[in-house]
Amino acid sequence: MIRVLVVDDDFMVARIHSGYVSRVPGFSVVSMAHTGADALAAVAELRPDLVLLDIYLPDMSGIEVLKALTGVDVLMISAARDVATVREAMRGGAVNYLIKPFTAAALTERLQQYADTRKRLTAIGPEARQDDLDRLFGTPKTGAPMPKGLSAATCALVADTLREAGRDLSAAEAAELTGLSRVSARRYLEHLCAVGQAGLRPRYGTAGRPEHRYRWLG
């Protein structure tokens, strides 16, 4: 379970964002904070994995809070969209930046990307190879843009899962291994086929439609 601290000066907004987080499988909200000082204290006491951090706080800037934090990942959530602020957030080590107002679906996608990255980082082991880091920090080398609605991080997770399986997989099997829904897993597998990284072959049973099996081509 990924433990999240939600920081926003508006009590109602913080409650709404906490509700969004709580509905994402694998995530839980450990607390809410409404000032920078409270955020720093909560991180020191509760040691969350991830902080959803607003920039406009009553006592200090969220950027100042970001730079003061250690040992925790930070996803910035703010109405601030000027390039200087975004650059400071990147320099401060923010894992992502989401502009307010946003939908539950937009936050869910960022949280799932974050969870995917944590899972892939854990799976690398004690030492990383360059291709591991390329997949972790970059995007899949598909030679084509990602279709609308698909995440590069999630596509990399599905690609890694298919490659490391050492055998062909059905969409249902890929879904179970990645934690995605069967429909989502199938969309990513079809994309990998479309760009030549995976192959598809039907498996014919005794009756009914053939089962689609996907294999890694690289």
Side-chain angles (χ1 to χ4, degrees):
M1 187 68 69
I2 296 174
R3 303 167 69 251
V4 181
L5 171 68
V6 177
V7 182
D8 198 288
D9 67 316
D10 188 310
F11 285 72
M12 185 57 67
V13 171
R15 180 175 295 181
I16 291 171
H17 292 168
S18 295
Y20 288 170
V21 173
S22 298
R23 290 197 291 271
V24 181
F27 287 81
S28 67
V29 176
V30 295
S31 187
M32 293 183 290
H34 309 291
T35 68
D38 287 347
L40 292 172
V43 169
E45 177 184 356
L46 301 173
R47 309 307 301 173
D49 302 299
L50 178 67
V51 177
L52 266 59
L53 179 60
D54 191 12
I55 288 179
Y56 298 128
L57 300 173
D59 55 342
M60 66 178 76
S61 165
I63 295 295
E64 294 178 87
V65 176
L66 170 66
K67 292 179 178 180
L69 291 173
T70 57
V72 63
D73 294 322
V74 178
L75 193 164
M76 305 302 297
I77 49 173
S78 178
R81 60 178 68 205
D82 59 284
V83 174
T85 298
V86 175
R87 182 179 292 115
E88 283 300 301
M90 294 176 65
R91 286 174 175 169
V95 299
N96 214 320
Y97 195 114
L98 191 55
I99 296 175
K100 292 181 179 179
F102 51 79
T103 64
L107 180 57
T108 296
E109 181 181 13
R110 270 59 173 196
L111 292 178
Q112 289 175 336
Q113 289 174 353
Y114 172 74
D116 290 344
T117 300
R118 280 173 58 101
K119 184 183 295 185
R120 287 190 287 123
L121 185 59
T122 300
I124 287 175
E127 292 188 356
R129 300 172 304 179
Q130 186 60 55
D131 58 342
D132 293 324
L133 298 179
D134 289 342
R135 287 191 297 273
L136 190 64
F137 286 96
T139 58
K141 297 178 181 178
T142 61
M146 295 295 298
K148 185 176 180 179
L150 297 190
S151 154
T154 306
C155 189
L157 172 65
V158 175
D160 288 348
T161 300
L162 188 61
R163 185 185 66 254
E164 293 166 6
R167 59 184 178 86
D168 58 13
L169 297 175
S170 67
E173 290 169 336
E176 183 177 356
L177 291 170
T178 58
L180 300 171
S181 70
R182 186 178 60 82
V183 172
S184 294
R186 187 180 69 245
R187 289 191 64 198
Y188 284 103
L189 290 167
E190 289 174 348
H191 172 67
L192 292 172
C193 288
V195 299
Q197 287 196 297
L200 168 66
R201 72 175 181 85
R203 175 189 287 176
Y204 293 92
T206 56
R209 298 170 59 185
E211 179 187 43
H212 287 176
R213 308 287 301 182
Y214 302 86
R215 70 185 185 282
W216 179 252
L217 298 178

